[in-house]
Amino acid sequence: MNMISTGAFQTEMDASNKQSIARKFASVWEKKNAKAARAGGVSLMALSLAACGSDDATTTTATTTTTTTTTTTATPLSLAFTTAVDNLVGDSGNDTFTGVNDATDANDTAQVYDTVTGGDGTDTLYIINTDNAAYSPINASGIEVFKYQANDNAGNLDVDDIHGATTLNLYRANGDVDVSDLTQAVTFKIEDLQAGYTGTVTYKATDVANAADAATVDLAGASTGSVLTFAGAVETMTLDVTKESTYTQLVMDAATTAVTINASAALNTVTDFNANGVTTLTLTGSGAIDLTGSTDNDLAALTTVAGSAATGAISLFINDAANQTITTGSGADTVDMDGTLTAADTIDLGAGDDTLRVDVDSLTAGTADLSISNVETLRFDAIGTGAGAIQMDNVSVTTIRFDQAAAQGGADQVITLTDLAATIAGASLIGDGTASDDVFFSDFTLDYDTTTDLANVTLTINNGGVVADDIRVGNIVIDNTDKLTITATDIGQAAADELTLDDIEVDAATDIVVSADGEIILTVDGDVLDTLDMSAADGGSTLSVDDAAAALTITMGDGVDIVDIVDDAVGATIDLGAGNDQFTSGNEAHTITTGTGIDTLIFTGATTDDDNIVTDFTAGTGGDVIDLATNNANDGSVALTGTELIGDADDVAEQGIVIIDNSATGVADADALTAAGIADRVNDIGNDNNGTAADSIMVMEAQEDDFYLIISDGTDTAFALIVGDTTTTTIETADVNVLVTFEGISDASTLTAANFADFV
């Protein structure tokens, strides 16, 4: 380092000062000359010389002067305290001074004996407190921003100790860190709170003693787990959300009556937004604001939510009984009214795809119309095991959604929606999305208020895109629709998993269409139902028809289907589709197409003709099956254990199933496959075939014997139940009940023991 003597240094300074004075003098004259030139074009320097007797007194000189101004910005300083006693001095830039307050001397740099002077510019004192104790201030002046980071518990901060700074930045705090004596004049920023943060920000009592205090806080980042509480009687609070912030709890002071959340970034309260004193909540900005909370919100006094200016998505949870006026903006908003929705509430969710959630389980339908507008989805959630109702007279929504119930309810667990508009043409039933879990939905009634039937009502059933185990829906009652379409997905794929629809009651529907991606069990009760299309339910279906139009067409899918026509007044045309299906007939005539696969047909064997028709029964080994296990046949003396083929030499029915061998010599086809035609034929089996004594007459082995008879007319084959009586062993017309005719089977003997199950 070069050393300069004191005399030399003074000489140097004198010279410098003279040069500086000369420059200033010249500058003054330049400015005056320029001003004079603008006024009259005469140089003041020339006038001065003339006054001194210069020859230039008679000479006029025009002078143009260009002045260049250079602005120099000071480079910001970044200065750090040391473990020694420091005196840090800033420059004219935006300087930063950083120190650590720590209990260990080797780490403790921000000490009470240190001094810092900020100078010009916007200067920041950045203190990192790792001492597990309240902050101990140093000597500081000229500081505009106090940035405070407390890394451990109990690093509390008194705002009186921030050295007169006008901005306080609570930065990356965690643990229990409180801020006290905050004033309205201090700009307060809370930045990047850590997951372990739990703190209370308290405003100075003397500063907020008025009746209309207002404060603004910048929420610039918080991690899930952060708990932030404001204390102090600030009546109006503004929260500017400038960075995504997620709080487990966000608690306002009880004296705060108005809160504005201006979100340019997302704000989320995971558990609780506690603002019991707030009457007005104003929401603005493009950031998503989620105040739903997973368990509870405390908004007992809230009457107004003003969110029409918000463009970000708004999510609110309102579980207090005050009457509210709620408006939201253009985002995809969700307002959860829990069980508090009444006709005294006014809800307008603005533009966007919006959802209104209601716990209908606790509601009763009132007589007054609800005031609901700009709602696309009305979602009924938190359904327990009780009943609920809602009057939908003037409610216009696109979709109705039912959430799953807590458990499968009893007969009185019915959700009733009355006076539905024709524009609400359906509902969705959506589970909570838990994988491999049983899902239950309550009974519900959709009561439409319309003089003209809807063309179609659609029900969508799923588990939110996640495969469940069983899904069960209680009774479904829908009126005033010509058609009902049901689409079910997310059904479990294990052998024991299925979707069960306890009962579908439709008073006006002529058509029901069902599609499902798994096994489905349903019971249908439709007064005028004439078409039931389950061709897209390929996982297998168990269908029971309690009531329908006299002529019903049923189309099944390619799975293993079970169809039972319970109503004896219904005659159905059934296509069982592919798969090993099962059909159970009542006492009415049905036409059955078995399709591919080995199908099983169950006939009740009643005492009257059923006259069923099977269009494509496959006879012989590997063919379709007639299951007689639940049949009415009972002879009381002959074991129904086998089949018997009767030709021209046989005349006694000794087995449970008797097949007339029309390929035998002298055995003619029946003239007609009616009771009379079959009785006539079995009484005329002999070689002569002329009804004389030479003919063999087929008889029962004993009176009151019951057995089955299979006989052909050369084109088709009939399957009949012969019911014996107490008078004779002769087969009479009254003894013959034709259960089914197999079209296209020209020879009865092609049916073999393989075509019968649980009998032979």
Side-chain angles (χ1 to χ4, degrees), residues 513-549:
V513 178
V514 180
S515 64
D517 67 351
E519 184 180 351
I520 182 171
I521 301 172
L522 72 159
T523 299
V524 174
D525 187 350
D527 295 342
V528 295
L529 181 68
D530 60 26
T531 302
L532 181 54
D533 183 358
M534 301 186 64
S535 59
D538 291 332
S541 303
T542 299
L543 169 65
S544 179
V545 179
D546 283 347
D547 191 17

PDB file of all heavy atoms in Angstrom, residues 513-549:
ATOM      1  N   VAL A 513     -82.179 -47.740 -21.073  1.00  0.00           N
ATOM      2  CA  VAL A 513     -80.922 -48.182 -21.677  1.00  0.00           C
ATOM      3  C   VAL A 513     -79.869 -48.202 -20.574  1.00  0.00           C
ATOM      4  O   VAL A 513     -79.683 -47.206 -19.869  1.00  0.00           O
ATOM      5  CB  VAL A 513     -80.480 -47.245 -22.823  1.00  0.00           C
ATOM      6  CG1 VAL A 513     -79.144 -47.712 -23.395  1.00  0.00           C
ATOM      7  CG2 VAL A 513     -81.547 -47.189 -23.907  1.00  0.00           C
ATOM      8  N   VAL A 514     -79.177 -49.326 -20.423  1.00  0.00           N
ATOM      9  CA  VAL A 514     -78.187 -49.485 -19.364  1.00  0.00           C
ATOM     10  C   VAL A 514     -76.865 -49.938 -19.966  1.00  0.00           C
ATOM     11  O   VAL A 514     -76.831 -50.908 -20.740  1.00  0.00           O
ATOM     12  CB  VAL A 514     -78.643 -50.509 -18.305  1.00  0.00           C
ATOM     13  CG1 VAL A 514     -77.582 -50.660 -17.215  1.00  0.00           C
ATOM     14  CG2 VAL A 514     -79.979 -50.100 -17.702  1.00  0.00           C
ATOM     15  N   SER A 515     -75.786 -49.252 -19.617  1.00  0.00           N
ATOM     16  CA  SER A 515     -74.438 -49.708 -19.979  1.00  0.00           C
ATOM     17  C   SER A 515     -73.608 -49.749 -18.712  1.00  0.00           C
ATOM     18  O   SER A 515     -73.773 -48.915 -17.821  1.00  0.00           O
ATOM     19  CB  SER A 515     -73.796 -48.797 -21.030  1.00  0.00           C
ATOM     20  OG  SER A 515     -73.597 -47.499 -20.508  1.00  0.00           O
ATOM     21  N   ALA A 516     -72.706 -50.725 -18.618  1.00  0.00           N
ATOM     22  CA  ALA A 516     -71.893 -50.890 -17.410  1.00  0.00           C
ATOM     23  C   ALA A 516     -70.603 -51.590 -17.776  1.00  0.00           C
ATOM     24  O   ALA A 516     -70.564 -52.408 -18.704  1.00  0.00           O
ATOM     25  CB  ALA A 516     -72.664 -51.684 -16.357  1.00  0.00           C
ATOM     26  N   ASP A 517     -69.528 -51.263 -17.014  1.00  0.00           N
ATOM     27  CA  ASP A 517     -68.233 -51.889 -17.277  1.00  0.00           C
ATOM     28  C   ASP A 517     -67.954 -53.044 -16.318  1.00  0.00           C
ATOM     29  O   ASP A 517     -66.829 -53.524 -16.235  1.00  0.00           O
ATOM     30  CB  ASP A 517     -67.103 -50.859 -17.205  1.00  0.00           C
ATOM     31  CG  ASP A 517     -66.891 -50.313 -15.797  1.00  0.00           C
ATOM     32  OD1 ASP A 517     -67.719 -50.600 -14.900  1.00  0.00           O
ATOM     33  OD2 ASP A 517     -65.894 -49.594 -15.584  1.00  0.00           O
ATOM     34  N   GLY A 518     -68.991 -53.500 -15.620  1.00  0.00           N
ATOM     35  CA  GLY A 518     -68.853 -54.634 -14.716  1.00  0.00           C
ATOM     36  C   GLY A 518     -70.190 -55.299 -14.520  1.00  0.00           C
ATOM     37  O   GLY A 518     -71.190 -54.952 -15.170  1.00  0.00           O
ATOM     38  N   GLU A 519     -70.235 -56.251 -13.624  1.00  0.00           N
ATOM     39  CA  GLU A 519     -71.476 -56.979 -13.363  1.00  0.00           C
ATOM     40  C   GLU A 519     -72.505 -56.043 -12.753  1.00  0.00           C
ATOM     41  O   GLU A 519     -72.184 -55.185 -11.936  1.00  0.00           O
ATOM     42  CB  GLU A 519     -71.202 -58.150 -12.428  1.00  0.00           C
ATOM     43  CG  GLU A 519     -72.416 -59.026 -12.172  1.00  0.00           C
ATOM     44  CD  GLU A 519     -72.114 -60.186 -11.248  1.00  0.00           C
ATOM     45  OE1 GLU A 519     -70.922 -60.402 -10.952  1.00  0.00           O
ATOM     46  OE2 GLU A 519     -73.068 -60.856 -10.810  1.00  0.00           O
ATOM     47  N   ILE A 520     -73.769 -56.232 -13.130  1.00  0.00           N
ATOM     48  CA  ILE A 520     -74.825 -55.350 -12.655  1.00  0.00           C
ATOM     49  C   ILE A 520     -76.033 -56.177 -12.245  1.00  0.00           C
ATOM     50  O   ILE A 520     -76.384 -57.162 -12.906  1.00  0.00           O
ATOM     51  CB  ILE A 520     -75.200 -54.306 -13.736  1.00  0.00           C
ATOM     52  CG1 ILE A 520     -76.284 -53.351 -13.227  1.00  0.00           C
ATOM     53  CG2 ILE A 520     -75.614 -54.963 -15.021  1.00  0.00           C
ATOM     54  CD1 ILE A 520     -76.535 -52.174 -14.155  1.00  0.00           C
ATOM     55  N   ILE A 521     -76.662 -55.786 -11.130  1.00  0.00           N
ATOM     56  CA  ILE A 521     -77.872 -56.419 -10.633  1.00  0.00           C
ATOM     57  C   ILE A 521     -78.927 -55.334 -10.520  1.00  0.00           C
ATOM     58  O   ILE A 521     -78.719 -54.328  -9.836  1.00  0.00           O
ATOM     59  CB  ILE A 521     -77.643 -57.075  -9.254  1.00  0.00           C
ATOM     60  CG1 ILE A 521     -76.546 -58.133  -9.337  1.00  0.00           C
ATOM     61  CG2 ILE A 521     -78.930 -57.680  -8.718  1.00  0.00           C
ATOM     62  CD1 ILE A 521     -76.130 -58.679  -7.983  1.00  0.00           C
ATOM     63  N   LEU A 522     -80.058 -55.522 -11.192  1.00  0.00           N
ATOM     64  CA  LEU A 522     -81.076 -54.486 -11.112  1.00  0.00           C
ATOM     65  C   LEU A 522     -82.474 -55.070 -11.190  1.00  0.00           C
ATOM     66  O   LEU A 522     -82.703 -56.121 -11.795  1.00  0.00           O
ATOM     67  CB  LEU A 522     -80.894 -53.435 -12.207  1.00  0.00           C
ATOM     68  CG  LEU A 522     -81.215 -53.791 -13.648  1.00  0.00           C
ATOM     69  CD1 LEU A 522     -81.460 -52.516 -14.441  1.00  0.00           C
ATOM     70  CD2 LEU A 522     -80.113 -54.595 -14.296  1.00  0.00           C
ATOM     71  N   THR A 523     -83.389 -54.358 -10.560  1.00  0.00           N
ATOM     72  CA  THR A 523     -84.807 -54.676 -10.607  1.00  0.00           C
ATOM     73  C   THR A 523     -85.522 -53.497 -11.243  1.00  0.00           C
ATOM     74  O   THR A 523     -85.269 -52.348 -10.883  1.00  0.00           O
ATOM     75  CB  THR A 523     -85.366 -54.930  -9.194  1.00  0.00           C
ATOM     76  OG1 THR A 523     -84.681 -56.031  -8.615  1.00  0.00           O
ATOM     77  CG2 THR A 523     -86.852 -55.239  -9.248  1.00  0.00           C
ATOM     78  N   VAL A 524     -86.408 -53.801 -12.190  1.00  0.00           N
ATOM     79  CA  VAL A 524     -87.069 -52.752 -12.963  1.00  0.00           C
ATOM     80  C   VAL A 524     -88.568 -52.846 -12.744  1.00  0.00           C
ATOM     81  O   VAL A 524     -89.159 -53.936 -12.788  1.00  0.00           O
ATOM     82  CB  VAL A 524     -86.737 -52.880 -14.463  1.00  0.00           C
ATOM     83  CG1 VAL A 524     -87.541 -51.877 -15.265  1.00  0.00           C
ATOM     84  CG2 VAL A 524     -85.254 -52.672 -14.683  1.00  0.00           C
ATOM     85  N   ASP A 525     -89.158 -51.669 -12.517  1.00  0.00           N
ATOM     86  CA  ASP A 525     -90.600 -51.569 -12.335  1.00  0.00           C
ATOM     87  C   ASP A 525     -91.081 -50.402 -13.175  1.00  0.00           C
ATOM     88  O   ASP A 525     -90.951 -49.242 -12.780  1.00  0.00           O
ATOM     89  CB  ASP A 525     -90.918 -51.349 -10.854  1.00  0.00           C
ATOM     90  CG  ASP A 525     -92.407 -51.402 -10.557  1.00  0.00           C
ATOM     91  OD1 ASP A 525     -93.202 -51.425 -11.508  1.00  0.00           O
ATOM     92  OD2 ASP A 525     -92.764 -51.412  -9.366  1.00  0.00           O
ATOM     93  N   GLY A 526     -91.602 -50.707 -14.361  1.00  0.00           N
ATOM     94  CA  GLY A 526     -92.040 -49.647 -15.261  1.00  0.00           C
ATOM     95  C   GLY A 526     -93.408 -49.947 -15.827  1.00  0.00           C
ATOM     96  O   GLY A 526     -93.579 -50.933 -16.562  1.00  0.00           O
ATOM     97  N   ASP A 527     -94.367 -49.112 -15.520  1.00  0.00           N
ATOM     98  CA  ASP A 527     -95.749 -49.396 -15.896  1.00  0.00           C
ATOM     99  C   ASP A 527     -95.935 -49.562 -17.390  1.00  0.00           C
ATOM    100  O   ASP A 527     -96.702 -50.422 -17.840  1.00  0.00           O
ATOM    101  CB  ASP A 527     -96.664 -48.270 -15.398  1.00  0.00           C
ATOM    102  CG  ASP A 527     -96.712 -48.196 -13.884  1.00  0.00           C
ATOM    103  OD1 ASP A 527     -96.332 -49.195 -13.239  1.00  0.00           O
ATOM    104  OD2 ASP A 527     -97.111 -47.146 -13.350  1.00  0.00           O
ATOM    105  N   VAL A 528     -95.249 -48.709 -18.168  1.00  0.00           N
ATOM    106  CA  VAL A 528     -95.439 -48.753 -19.623  1.00  0.00           C
ATOM    107  C   VAL A 528     -94.142 -49.098 -20.343  1.00  0.00           C
ATOM    108  O   VAL A 528     -94.020 -48.888 -21.553  1.00  0.00           O
ATOM    109  CB  VAL A 528     -96.001 -47.407 -20.135  1.00  0.00           C
ATOM    110  CG1 VAL A 528     -97.393 -47.160 -19.585  1.00  0.00           C
ATOM    111  CG2 VAL A 528     -95.071 -46.256 -19.777  1.00  0.00           C
ATOM    112  N   LEU A 529     -93.176 -49.627 -19.616  1.00  0.00           N
ATOM    113  CA  LEU A 529     -91.877 -49.949 -20.204  1.00  0.00           C
ATOM    114  C   LEU A 529     -92.032 -51.011 -21.278  1.00  0.00           C
ATOM    115  O   LEU A 529     -92.568 -52.090 -21.028  1.00  0.00           O
ATOM    116  CB  LEU A 529     -90.935 -50.452 -19.115  1.00  0.00           C
ATOM    117  CG  LEU A 529     -89.510 -50.805 -19.553  1.00  0.00           C
ATOM    118  CD1 LEU A 529     -88.761 -49.547 -19.975  1.00  0.00           C
ATOM    119  CD2 LEU A 529     -88.773 -51.507 -18.423  1.00  0.00           C
ATOM    120  N   ASP A 530     -91.560 -50.710 -22.486  1.00  0.00           N
ATOM    121  CA  ASP A 530     -91.647 -51.708 -23.560  1.00  0.00           C
ATOM    122  C   ASP A 530     -90.292 -52.050 -24.179  1.00  0.00           C
ATOM    123  O   ASP A 530     -90.209 -52.976 -24.983  1.00  0.00           O
ATOM    124  CB  ASP A 530     -92.634 -51.262 -24.648  1.00  0.00           C
ATOM    125  CG  ASP A 530     -92.251 -49.939 -25.307  1.00  0.00           C
ATOM    126  OD1 ASP A 530     -91.054 -49.587 -25.334  1.00  0.00           O
ATOM    127  OD2 ASP A 530     -93.157 -49.237 -25.800  1.00  0.00           O
ATOM    128  N   THR A 531     -89.235 -51.315 -23.828  1.00  0.00           N
ATOM    129  CA  THR A 531     -87.907 -51.605 -24.365  1.00  0.00           C
ATOM    130  C   THR A 531     -86.872 -51.477 -23.255  1.00  0.00           C
ATOM    131  O   THR A 531     -86.777 -50.430 -22.611  1.00  0.00           O
ATOM    132  CB  THR A 531     -87.539 -50.648 -25.509  1.00  0.00           C
ATOM    133  OG1 THR A 531     -88.519 -50.735 -26.543  1.00  0.00           O
ATOM    134  CG2 THR A 531     -86.168 -50.999 -26.083  1.00  0.00           C
ATOM    135  N   LEU A 532     -86.117 -52.548 -23.052  1.00  0.00           N
ATOM    136  CA  LEU A 532     -85.042 -52.548 -22.060  1.00  0.00           C
ATOM    137  C   LEU A 532     -83.776 -53.008 -22.754  1.00  0.00           C
ATOM    138  O   LEU A 532     -83.626 -54.187 -23.089  1.00  0.00           O
ATOM    139  CB  LEU A 532     -85.397 -53.464 -20.894  1.00  0.00           C
ATOM    140  CG  LEU A 532     -84.403 -53.581 -19.747  1.00  0.00           C
ATOM    141  CD1 LEU A 532     -84.033 -52.214 -19.182  1.00  0.00           C
ATOM    142  CD2 LEU A 532     -84.962 -54.458 -18.637  1.00  0.00           C
ATOM    143  N   ASP A 533     -82.857 -52.065 -22.993  1.00  0.00           N
ATOM    144  CA  ASP A 533     -81.642 -52.335 -23.768  1.00  0.00           C
ATOM    145  C   ASP A 533     -80.437 -52.390 -22.830  1.00  0.00           C
ATOM    146  O   ASP A 533     -79.998 -51.379 -22.302  1.00  0.00           O
ATOM    147  CB  ASP A 533     -81.447 -51.238 -24.815  1.00  0.00           C
ATOM    148  CG  ASP A 533     -80.244 -51.493 -25.714  1.00  0.00           C
ATOM    149  OD1 ASP A 533     -79.538 -52.497 -25.508  1.00  0.00           O
ATOM    150  OD2 ASP A 533     -80.007 -50.681 -26.629  1.00  0.00           O
ATOM    151  N   MET A 534     -79.910 -53.585 -22.644  1.00  0.00           N
ATOM    152  CA  MET A 534     -78.719 -53.771 -21.820  1.00  0.00           C
ATOM    153  C   MET A 534     -77.582 -54.363 -22.637  1.00  0.00           C
ATOM    154  O   MET A 534     -76.681 -55.019 -22.109  1.00  0.00           O
ATOM    155  CB  MET A 534     -79.050 -54.663 -20.626  1.00  0.00           C
ATOM    156  CG  MET A 534     -80.148 -54.080 -19.745  1.00  0.00           C
ATOM    157  SD  MET A 534     -80.439 -55.025 -18.235  1.00  0.00           S
ATOM    158  CE  MET A 534     -78.869 -54.814 -17.408  1.00  0.00           C
ATOM    159  N   SER A 535     -77.614 -54.109 -23.915  1.00  0.00           N
ATOM    160  CA  SER A 535     -76.609 -54.687 -24.812  1.00  0.00           C
ATOM    161  C   SER A 535     -75.210 -54.166 -24.518  1.00  0.00           C
ATOM    162  O   SER A 535     -74.221 -54.818 -24.868  1.00  0.00           O
ATOM    163  CB  SER A 535     -76.985 -54.399 -26.270  1.00  0.00           C
ATOM    164  OG  SER A 535     -77.076 -52.999 -26.506  1.00  0.00           O
ATOM    165  N   ALA A 536     -75.089 -52.991 -23.880  1.00  0.00           N
ATOM    166  CA  ALA A 536     -73.774 -52.441 -23.555  1.00  0.00           C
ATOM    167  C   ALA A 536     -73.354 -52.773 -22.131  1.00  0.00           C
ATOM    168  O   ALA A 536     -72.365 -52.235 -21.641  1.00  0.00           O
ATOM    169  CB  ALA A 536     -73.771 -50.930 -23.764  1.00  0.00           C
ATOM    170  N   ALA A 537     -74.081 -53.658 -21.467  1.00  0.00           N
ATOM    171  CA  ALA A 537     -73.687 -54.126 -20.133  1.00  0.00           C
ATOM    172  C   ALA A 537     -73.052 -55.498 -20.303  1.00  0.00           C
ATOM    173  O   ALA A 537     -73.674 -56.535 -20.083  1.00  0.00           O
ATOM    174  CB  ALA A 537     -74.902 -54.182 -19.214  1.00  0.00           C
ATOM    175  N   ASP A 538     -71.788 -55.495 -20.694  1.00  0.00           N
ATOM    176  CA  ASP A 538     -71.122 -56.736 -21.094  1.00  0.00           C
ATOM    177  C   ASP A 538     -70.463 -57.474 -19.942  1.00  0.00           C
ATOM    178  O   ASP A 538     -69.894 -58.543 -20.129  1.00  0.00           O
ATOM    179  CB  ASP A 538     -70.067 -56.432 -22.171  1.00  0.00           C
ATOM    180  CG  ASP A 538     -70.709 -56.013 -23.486  1.00  0.00           C
ATOM    181  OD1 ASP A 538     -71.839 -56.445 -23.741  1.00  0.00           O
ATOM    182  OD2 ASP A 538     -70.075 -55.255 -24.240  1.00  0.00           O
ATOM    183  N   GLY A 539     -70.532 -56.899 -18.724  1.00  0.00           N
ATOM    184  CA  GLY A 539     -69.922 -57.571 -17.592  1.00  0.00           C
ATOM    185  C   GLY A 539     -70.800 -58.643 -16.986  1.00  0.00           C
ATOM    186  O   GLY A 539     -70.396 -59.325 -16.040  1.00  0.00           O
ATOM    187  N   GLY A 540     -71.988 -58.811 -17.508  1.00  0.00           N
ATOM    188  CA  GLY A 540     -72.945 -59.752 -16.954  1.00  0.00           C
ATOM    189  C   GLY A 540     -73.997 -59.022 -16.156  1.00  0.00           C
ATOM    190  O   GLY A 540     -73.695 -58.112 -15.381  1.00  0.00           O
ATOM    191  N   SER A 541     -75.260 -59.404 -16.332  1.00  0.00           N
ATOM    192  CA  SER A 541     -76.358 -58.701 -15.680  1.00  0.00           C
ATOM    193  C   SER A 541     -77.333 -59.700 -15.071  1.00  0.00           C
ATOM    194  O   SER A 541     -77.599 -60.756 -15.646  1.00  0.00           O
ATOM    195  CB  SER A 541     -77.111 -57.815 -16.686  1.00  0.00           C
ATOM    196  OG  SER A 541     -76.235 -56.900 -17.309  1.00  0.00           O
ATOM    197  N   THR A 542     -77.854 -59.313 -13.917  1.00  0.00           N
ATOM    198  CA  THR A 542     -78.961 -60.039 -13.300  1.00  0.00           C
ATOM    199  C   THR A 542     -80.148 -59.099 -13.287  1.00  0.00           C
ATOM    200  O   THR A 542     -80.149 -58.094 -12.576  1.00  0.00           O
ATOM    201  CB  THR A 542     -78.608 -60.492 -11.880  1.00  0.00           C
ATOM    202  OG1 THR A 542     -77.480 -61.366 -11.927  1.00  0.00           O
ATOM    203  CG2 THR A 542     -79.776 -61.235 -11.251  1.00  0.00           C
ATOM    204  N   LEU A 543     -81.148 -59.433 -14.101  1.00  0.00           N
ATOM    205  CA  LEU A 543     -82.275 -58.540 -14.327  1.00  0.00           C
ATOM    206  C   LEU A 543     -83.556 -59.187 -13.829  1.00  0.00           C
ATOM    207  O   LEU A 543     -83.859 -60.333 -14.176  1.00  0.00           O
ATOM    208  CB  LEU A 543     -82.398 -58.216 -15.815  1.00  0.00           C
ATOM    209  CG  LEU A 543     -83.678 -57.501 -16.265  1.00  0.00           C
ATOM    210  CD1 LEU A 543     -83.752 -56.102 -15.653  1.00  0.00           C
ATOM    211  CD2 LEU A 543     -83.738 -57.436 -17.794  1.00  0.00           C
ATOM    212  N   SER A 544     -84.286 -58.430 -13.030  1.00  0.00           N
ATOM    213  CA  SER A 544     -85.599 -58.874 -12.585  1.00  0.00           C
ATOM    214  C   SER A 544     -86.618 -57.830 -13.014  1.00  0.00           C
ATOM    215  O   SER A 544     -86.466 -56.645 -12.692  1.00  0.00           O
ATOM    216  CB  SER A 544     -85.623 -59.045 -11.063  1.00  0.00           C
ATOM    217  OG  SER A 544     -86.896 -59.447 -10.626  1.00  0.00           O
ATOM    218  N   VAL A 545     -87.646 -58.264 -13.738  1.00  0.00           N
ATOM    219  CA  VAL A 545     -88.675 -57.353 -14.225  1.00  0.00           C
ATOM    220  C   VAL A 545     -89.927 -57.573 -13.390  1.00  0.00           C
ATOM    221  O   VAL A 545     -90.597 -58.603 -13.503  1.00  0.00           O
ATOM    222  CB  VAL A 545     -88.961 -57.572 -15.719  1.00  0.00           C
ATOM    223  CG1 VAL A 545     -90.054 -56.625 -16.194  1.00  0.00           C
ATOM    224  CG2 VAL A 545     -87.693 -57.373 -16.540  1.00  0.00           C
ATOM    225  N   ASP A 546     -90.224 -56.587 -12.534  1.00  0.00           N
ATOM    226  CA  ASP A 546     -91.408 -56.683 -11.682  1.00  0.00           C
ATOM    227  C   ASP A 546     -92.664 -56.242 -12.403  1.00  0.00           C
ATOM    228  O   ASP A 546     -93.749 -56.763 -12.150  1.00  0.00           O
ATOM    229  CB  ASP A 546     -91.224 -55.814 -10.433  1.00  0.00           C
ATOM    230  CG  ASP A 546     -90.313 -56.471  -9.408  1.00  0.00           C
ATOM    231  OD1 ASP A 546     -90.035 -57.675  -9.548  1.00  0.00           O
ATOM    232  OD2 ASP A 546     -89.872 -55.768  -8.481  1.00  0.00           O
ATOM    233  N   ASP A 547     -92.505 -55.247 -13.256  1.00  0.00           N
ATOM    234  CA  ASP A 547     -93.676 -54.688 -13.922  1.00  0.00           C
ATOM    235  C   ASP A 547     -93.212 -54.028 -15.207  1.00  0.00           C
ATOM    236  O   ASP A 547     -92.162 -53.381 -15.245  1.00  0.00           O
ATOM    237  CB  ASP A 547     -94.370 -53.668 -13.014  1.00  0.00           C
ATOM    238  CG  ASP A 547     -95.730 -53.262 -13.545  1.00  0.00           C
ATOM    239  OD1 ASP A 547     -96.272 -53.986 -14.406  1.00  0.00           O
ATOM    240  OD2 ASP A 547     -96.251 -52.217 -13.098  1.00  0.00           O
ATOM    241  N   ALA A 548     -94.001 -54.198 -16.255  1.00  0.00           N
ATOM    242  CA  ALA A 548     -93.675 -53.591 -17.541  1.00  0.00           C
ATOM    243  C   ALA A 548     -94.915 -53.664 -18.416  1.00  0.00           C
ATOM    244  O   ALA A 548     -95.960 -54.199 -18.015  1.00  0.00           O
ATOM    245  CB  ALA A 548     -92.493 -54.297 -18.201  1.00  0.00           C
ATOM    246  N   ALA A 549     -94.790 -53.116 -19.620  1.00  0.00           N
ATOM    247  CA  ALA A 549     -95.876 -53.244 -20.580  1.00  0.00           C
ATOM    248  C   ALA A 549     -96.073 -54.710 -20.937  1.00  0.00           C
ATOM    249  O   ALA A 549     -95.173 -55.541 -20.772  1.00  0.00           O
ATOM    250  CB  ALA A 549     -95.560 -52.423 -21.826  1.00  0.00           C
TER     251      ALA A 549
END
